[in-house]
Amino acid sequence: VQLQASGGGLVQAGGSLRLSCTASGNIRSINTMGWYRQGPTNQRDLVASITYGGKTNYADSVKGRFTISGDNAKNTVYLQMNSLKPEDTGVYFCKQILDAAGYYAQYWGQGTQVTVSS
């Protein structure tokens, strides 16, 4: 299984970016998809997640600005980021909990850099 993330970049404060992450391989089903941000301390903090059934969860700092969505048929998760702030800067990683071998396991994509200038 491989996860390919894209959509990061440099944007001014108040701008928008859309991240996407697609899983490929022998995927039987997906349980949860999510995005994490890694900051200067290298800790990955949850930004947003979505279950197969569409239940979402957001970090308090992004509520009302970010929207996570998923396309289960395409094994893809999106993160629409609006009203970006400098503190949103970091490396964004996608994670999917999916079944590719008869049991659920978590898989990480490569990070994509998001830089918000003030």
Side-chain angles (χ1 to χ4, degrees):
V1 175
Q2 290 188 332
L3 271 61
Q4 182 68 43
S6 62
L10 172 64
V11 64
Q12 289 188 332
S16 298
L17 285 172
R18 188 188 194 214
L19 307 182
S20 64
C21 174
T22 299
S24 60
N26 185 26
I27 298 167
R28 302 180 184 187
S29 64
I30 295 175
N31 178 272
T32 305
M33 300 183 284
W35 290 95
Y36 291 72
R37 179 172 59 232
Q38 181 171 302
T41 63
N42 286 333
Q43 178 177 331
R44 293 184 187 182
D45 296 318
L46 176 69
V47 175
S49 66
I50 185 168
T51 67
Y52 178 85
K55 182 178 180 180
T56 58
N57 182 39
Y58 293 94
D60 288 342
S61 62
V62 306
K63 286 180 180 177
R65 299 188 297 122
F66 291 11
T67 302
I68 190 170
S69 60
D71 186 333
N72 295 322
K74 296 181 178 180
N75 301 328
T76 299
V77 60
Y78 305 97
L79 186 67
Q80 178 65 44
M81 305 186 292
N82 298 329
S83 302
L84 282 160
K85 303 176 181 180
E87 50 263 44
D88 295 320
T89 294
V91 181
Y92 284 68
F93 292 87
C94 63
K95 183 179 83 171
Q96 295 194 23
I97 300 173
L98 54 86
D99 176 5
Y103 56 89
Y104 284 101
Q106 64 181 30
Y107 297 86
W108 290 91
Q110 90 286 5
T112 184
Q113 178 71 44
V114 171
T115 304
V116 184
S117 63
S118 57

